[in-house]
Amino acid sequence: MSEDAPKRAAELGIPEFPPDPADDFEWVPATRQVAGDLPEPPLIDWRTTSSSRRAFLRGVVCSGVAVSASAHLFTVRPSEARAAVRGVERLITLNINGKARRVDVPPSETLAQTIRYRLGLTGTKIGCNRAECGACTVLADDVPIYSCSTLTHQVRGKAITTVEGVAEPDGTLHPVQQAFIDELGPQCGFCTPGQVMSAVGLLKKNPAPTVDQARRALSGNLCRCGAYHHYLAGVMRAAGRA
Amino acid sequence: MTDYMHAFDLYVPASLEDAARLLEEHGENAWIVAGGKDSFDWFKDRHKQPQAVVDIGGLQELHGIRDHGSHIAIGATTTLTEMEESELLGEHFPVLTQAAAQVASPQIRNAGTIGGNVSQDTRCTYYRDGFPCYRAGGNACYANTPTAMNREHALFGVSRCVAVTPSDTAPALVALEAEMVISRNGTLRTVPSEEYFVGPDTDITRMTVLEAGDILVEVRIPWTWAGARSYFEKVADRQTWDFALVNIALVAKTEDNRVADARIACGGVQCTPRRLIEVEDLVKGETVGPDLETLAKRVAARGARALNYNQFKIPLVENLTARAVRSLA
Ligand SMILES: Cc1cc2nc3c(=O)[nH]c(=O)nc-3n(C[C@H](O)[C@H](O)[C@H](O)COP(=O)(O)OP(=O)(O)OC[C@H]3O[C@@H](n4cnc5c(N)ncnc54)[C@H](O)[C@@H]3O)c2cc1C
Ligand code: SF4
Ligand code: FES
Ligand code: FES
């Protein structure tokens, strides 16, 4: 607040300013102020520690504990118990990235929810959750689909591939992934897993696409950063290698 | 609430018979899902919350494209991608493969079925957002008021509701004189595609003749228009995802530059696919050329009544008609 502001306010007939709390606020780094003399929190290494939060989540989510852990998300209603008798079985085996995973899935759960929140494979993103962006694209028997608008129970018996499943087991990137890096495809990267899956799906079906075919195959994937040309160039580069 | 769908019971019948029994048992509480691309939006928004969802997507007897001699049969759970890539359809009925190729996006076409495409509900935003309008059983139309956003709504055939047919394949099927085969408790009946779609004057709460318990089994394409000249064009705001503002499908038989016979249908202008009968009558027997184009353009939108924001659809229909006729030259 400038010094003569109260004076000008008085001249204009504006009632006196209330005191501005910012005026006598002394800024202290938040950690010191809040933590006081508590010990430093342990550093969590997100990449390597075997008990990292990610691995921990992945662990409980597929054990029985998961049901109660995520009960607030997936409330079991009596109707679902009945469904187990006459409708689909909730406990199913999903073939995902070449592995068989047992999961307990309510009938109304989407594949994106199962993949992310029960199997812990968070590479698959949820953007719109309405089949309008492509961030959630995965392959079902090598065909790209929107996992946000597919029930998990609809893909039973199909081989699901997510972005975690396209690289070689030794970590060598898939030609599409490598080409996207070489062509500087990702900017923020949020749409990238979906773009990768659409491109991998295209090359599985058509290893030597024309630019127009590639553009069409990627047309169901929005990129908010507008990196379309880079992704397209990536697909064409990968087509030479895949 | 768009994150989670309501808790429903999911049934995966092993045969058409089982599916029929489930529908019979659950009556009005049952909802058929094939690809689910139309249904799941309704469920996520919670505007429709059926208790029994019957997934017919895996029924092999409803799947595939076959040549039956007198007609080609497209099973109801055949995906739009399968239609687009079908050599049989592409060779004889390119208007239909082109229409299927223009639907939504590749991923939606990979899962969305022809049965779902012709049975989907309208995309009127008010109705979809849960407004209690006529179509939802209420007593008002929110799209037909002086301030309503209705640029996507109807030009023709309005009866209280001004919603339009959203399907891209429907006009192509109407042009091809397709027939819909519907099963009800094990008995089959056949309905011409033109009668399959229902306008608000007939029943304001539905888009097709399907009633609870009905299952669309297949779509039959007679050989009548096989190998005919054809034209399909869709105009939408974006080339992917967006529904047609107007689309047009034309099939025609020509003899030395003269039109012997033609059928033209438009989507996005009326609650049902609209046959441009006046244009059909006009072009029959005429020589194709700029004069015919101009005449066709003049009659194409005759009788249209624009709402506040959809006047642009009138020249759109006219120009698309002119281009369709031009394609015959
Ligand atoms: C983002 C988005 C964009 C879209 N864009 C377009 C577009 O541009 N053009 C277009 O034409 N469509 C579009 N669609 C609409 C539609 O979802 C798809 O066209 C698709 O074909 C629907 O098929 P489905 O099998 O997934 O439908 P479902 O949701 O499974 O079914 C749709 C309706 O049909 C009923 N039904 C399905 N099969 C049968 C059957 N065999 N017998 C009786 N009833 C049945 C269901 O009960 C439901 O009411 C779009 C959808 C989305 C979400
Ligand atoms: S146009 Fe039809 S669906 Fe839309 S608000 Fe009016 S009555 Fe409802
Ligand atoms: S999150 Fe599935 S398409 Fe956007
Ligand atoms: S890279 Fe940011 S959305 Fe595509």
Side-chain angles (χ1 to χ4, degrees), chain A residues 73-75 77 79-80 82-83 86-88 107-108 110 113 117 129-134 137 143-146 148-151 153-154 156 198 205 216-222, chain B residues 2-12 22 25-26 33-37 40-42 44-45 51 53 55 81 84-85 101-102 105-111 123 238 240-241:
Chain A
L73 291 182
F74 311 104
T75 330
R77 297 208 333 202
S79 62
E80 284 173 14
R82 215 177 57 232
R86 305 247 4 264
V88 291
S108 60
T110 65
Q113 290 166 343
Y117 307 136
N129 202 22
R130 300 189 71 93
E132 285 173 35
C133 77
T137 304
V143 176
I145 56 165
Y146 292 142
C148 72
S149 298
T150 305
L151 298 181
H153 284 274
Q154 282 181 303
R156 280 197 300 180
S198 284
K205 190 164 157 187
R216 216 171 119 72
L218 263 61
S219 66
N221 291 74
L222 270 187
Chain B
T2 60
D3 281 3
Y4 296 90
M5 295 180 224
H6 66 287
F8 50 73
D9 299 341
L10 181 66
Y11 299 90
V12 186
L22 282 164
E25 189 176 321
H26 294 279
V33 155
K37 295 294 157 292
F40 298 152
D41 280 2
W42 278 121
K44 285 175 187 167
D45 289 342
Q51 194 46 49
V53 173
D55 176 7
T81 301
E84 178 189 343
E85 290 172 355
Q102 299 268 321
S105 74
Q107 289 94 322
I108 292 179
R109 294 193 291 273
N110 286 343
R123 299 306 281 205
R238 297 175 299 178
T240 308
W241 286 294

Side-chain angles (χ1 to χ4, degrees), chain A residues 148-164:
Chain A
C148 72
S149 298
T150 305
L151 298 181
T152 308
H153 284 274
Q154 282 181 303
V155 296
R156 280 197 300 180
K158 296 201 171 169
I160 306 299
T161 313
T162 70
V163 72
E164 288 91 345

Side-chain angles (χ1 to χ4, degrees), chain A residues 20-237:
Chain A
D20 186 342
D23 281 353
D24 44 32
F25 179 79
E26 196 193 333
W27 189 80
V28 195
T31 43
R32 293 259 306 284
Q33 204 184 29
V34 176
D37 37 27
L38 286 176
E40 279 286 299
L43 260 185
I44 298 174
D45 185 338
W46 292 83
R47 286 151 303 162
T48 51
T49 330
S50 59
S51 63
S52 76
R53 190 174 149 270
R54 259 161 207 251
F56 169 74
L57 264 182
R58 212 171 289 166
V60 288
V61 166
C62 38
S63 79
V65 191
V67 182
S68 54
S70 51
H72 63 289
L73 291 182
F74 311 104
T75 330
V76 184
R77 297 208 333 202
S79 62
E80 284 173 14
R82 215 177 57 232
V85 184
R86 305 247 4 264
V88 291
E89 290 279 348
R90 286 180 47 136
L91 200 58
I92 56 174
T93 306
L94 277 186
N95 175 349
I96 189 144
N97 297 333
K99 295 194 193 80
R101 307 268 307 256
R102 287 291 277 173
V103 262
D104 178 25
V105 182
S108 60
E109 186 166 299
T110 65
L111 183 57
Q113 290 166 343
T114 306
I115 289 175
R116 286 180 55 84
Y117 307 136
R118 288 189 198 276
L119 302 177
L121 298 171
T122 50
T124 302
K125 305 299 177 208
I126 298 180
C128 63
N129 202 22
R130 300 189 71 93
E132 285 173 35
C133 77
C136 66
T137 304
V138 300
L139 305 185
D141 285 347
D142 291 344
V143 176
I145 56 165
Y146 292 142
S147 62
C148 72
S149 298
T150 305
L151 298 181
T152 308
H153 284 274
Q154 282 181 303
V155 296
R156 280 197 300 180
K158 296 201 171 169
I160 306 299
T161 313
T162 70
V163 72
E164 288 91 345
V166 294
E168 299 292 324
D170 68 359
T172 311
L173 293 181
H174 186 279
V176 165
Q177 292 174 305
Q178 189 56 52
F180 279 6
I181 294 172
D182 297 342
E183 294 290 343
L184 303 178
Q187 288 189 40
C188 77
F190 192 82
C191 71
T192 311
Q195 307 275 8
V196 169
M197 297 323 290
S198 284
V200 170
L202 166 71
L203 297 186
K204 285 211 160 145
K205 190 164 157 187
N206 177 2
T210 63
V211 176
D212 276 346
Q213 286 168 337
R215 190 178 281 130
R216 216 171 119 72
L218 263 61
S219 66
N221 291 74
L222 270 187
C223 175
R224 198 71 174 79
C225 302
Y228 297 106
H229 268 83
H230 294 241
Y231 285 121
L232 192 60
V235 181
M236 297 318 287
R237 184 191 272 254

Side-chain angles (χ1 to χ4, degrees), chain B residues 124 126-127 133-135 141-143 153 161-163:
Chain B
C124 168
Y126 295 94
Y127 173 56
C133 68
Y134 289 126
R135 188 166 286 281
C141 172
Y142 297 86
H153 289 74
C161 174
V162 294

